Structure formats: structure tokens, C-alpha cells
Amino acid sequence: MLLDKIFKRLQQGEPVQYVLGQADFRGRVFHVNPSVLIPRPETARLVELAAGRMAAGCRALDVGTGSGCIAVSLALECGGSRVEAWDISEAALSVAAGNASRLGARVEFRRCNALAPPGDVRRWDVVVSNPPYVAESERRDMEPLVVDHEPRLALFVPDDDPLRFYRSISRYASKALVEGGWLLFEVNPRFADDTAELMRGLGFGSVEVVVDDYGHRRYALGRR
């Protein structure tokens, strides 16, 4: 009976990760459900880039944590670091907190709107984010597997303001990062150069766009 239900859900186009309730990410199993995005290999590379800039005792923030895959991975892989993670979705925070507890990661979770962040000053050494970045006009070119099942809130941005999350988070990070702190984004390749220019305009230095394993311009990072 259970197998029949699984096959039926798969035949209806539901992602196998949601059907099984879990997804692999950097060698760990994360619980997932339709309230969070399914962790992807591209995001694993973002964790690698962030971890390479985190020293012992580092204070790191993950904005838009979803399943918690970034925050939990950083907490486990960067010993002694203090990691906080934000999301606007209570359901997502519940999933993320469950993953942290099950995997033994010390992460502080907080409900926060990335478009209206607090007025923190010199609080973080690293800010990392994989925010919504798919333009609404790109929806028609995406697989139904994604569009019909993964949370719209975590995917799409308006065509007339595709950088809305990058702008808000960058402005926050320009004040909330310590001198020499790092801001790292996963980005839509269409807007990689625009994101980098936005960061430069807010005073970030050493800004660069990094390609993913498929040759796409997938990450933007810079130093305060």
C-alpha cells in the first residue's frame, strides 16, 4: 500500500525528494517538504565558497535559510563558528530547526523578512544567501516538477525588480558586516553582472562572479 502511494505521487509529477521526505546535500540527509526548496548541487558550492572564508569563531548569517542546508552545513563544517539563520516562513524555520537538531548542528533560527532586515552594525563576519531569483517571465521555461511543487515564495521575483532581495541584503550587509567581512550570493546567471555592480555601488571590494560546475555565472561575492 505504501509503495502504491509513492508510485502514484511520482506519476503525478511530485519530486522524489518530497515523496521520500529527504534530500542529500554535502554528504548529509536533510528532511524536506513542500514548504522548502529542495537543496541543489549549485548551493553546495556556495557553502564551499563561504566556508573557505570562515575562520574559527566566525559569526555567520544565512538569509533565507529554507531547509537550513546552508546554515547547518556551515555550522558543522566550520568548527567554533556561530551561525544564525533567517527565514520569513515559519514552516521553513520548523524544517530547518528539525534538520539542525537531527544533524547535531548549533544554529540559531529567527523569523525575519529579508526585505526589511534589522539595523545591525558590525555584527557578522560572513553573510551568505540564496534568495529568490527566478524572474516571473522565466516560469514558462521551467519544469513543471519545480513550478507545480516547490514554494513560489522561495523561487520568484518580479520582472521589473529581479534584484530586490540582493539590494536589500547587500544594503544590510554593508553595515552589518565587520570590516573585511564577506557577502556571498547564489545568483541568477542572467543578473550576475548586475548583482556584482550593485555590490560595488554599496562599497564592497574584491567583488567577483564565480561560475558553477556547469559553467554558469552562479555566485557573486565581495568583501566589505
Side-chain angles (χ1 to χ4, degrees):
M1 183 65 72
L2 177 60
L3 284 177
D4 289 340
K5 290 181 179 179
I6 290 175
F7 286 137
K8 184 176 181 180
R9 291 173 66 182
L10 291 173
Q11 288 173 342
Q12 292 173 341
E14 189 171 352
V16 63
Q17 293 91 340
Y18 289 156
V19 174
L20 299 179
Q22 64 183 46
D24 293 331
F25 186 81
R26 291 184 68 83
R28 302 179 183 91
V29 176
F30 284 79
H31 288 175
V32 295
N33 62 36
S35 66
V36 300
L37 290 180
I38 296 167
R40 288 169 167 79
E42 295 90 338
T43 306
R45 173 65 172 144
L46 179 64
V47 171
E48 182 180 334
L49 290 169
R53 290 160 175 80
M54 290 174 61
C58 179
R59 298 165 297 171
L61 171 67
D62 171 26
V63 182
T65 196
S67 67
C69 62
I70 293 175
V72 169
S73 297
L74 290 176
L76 292 174
E77 296 174 27
C78 303
S81 296
R82 290 171 285 175
V83 181
E84 186 169 311
W86 296 352
D87 207 289
I88 195 172
S89 166
E90 292 283 8
L93 288 171
S94 178
V95 172
N99 280 323
S101 176
R102 188 173 52 81
L103 292 169
R106 296 184 62 181
V107 179
E108 182 176 347
F109 293 98
R110 178 180 176 189
R111 187 173 187 271
C112 186
N113 184 352
L115 298 178
D120 296 327
V121 176
R122 309 296 178 262
R123 183 177 178 188
W124 310 106
D125 299 290
V126 170
V127 174
V128 60
S129 182
N130 176 23
Y133 62 62
V134 181
E136 284 285 353
S137 59
E138 296 178 290
R139 180 195 295 264
R140 61 179 176 269
D141 299 321
M142 298 174 66
E143 295 182 5
L145 194 72
V146 175
V147 175
D148 295 344
H149 296 281
E150 298 200 54
R152 181 186 180 282
L153 183 67
L155 283 171
F156 296 105
V157 287
D159 287 322
D160 61 356
D161 191 15
L163 300 183
R164 64 189 313 183
F165 286 98
Y166 297 100
R167 185 181 306 109
S168 179
I169 296 168
S170 295
R171 285 174 176 167
Y172 169 77
S174 69
K175 298 178 181 179
L177 280 169
V178 301
E179 197 71 30
W182 284 92
L183 172 62
L184 303 98
F185 286 123
E186 182 174 330
V187 303
N188 185 330
R190 287 179 57 193
F191 307 117
D193 289 333
D194 293 330
T195 304
E197 189 59 31
L198 168 68
M199 294 169 68
R200 292 188 186 98
L202 288 168
F204 287 89
S206 304
V207 176
E208 63 176 312
V209 173
V210 179
V211 300
D212 62 20
D213 292 339
Y214 307 100
H216 300 130
R217 296 161 63 78
R218 182 68 63 184
Y219 316 99
L221 48 144
R223 197 169 195 178
R224 186 186 175 283

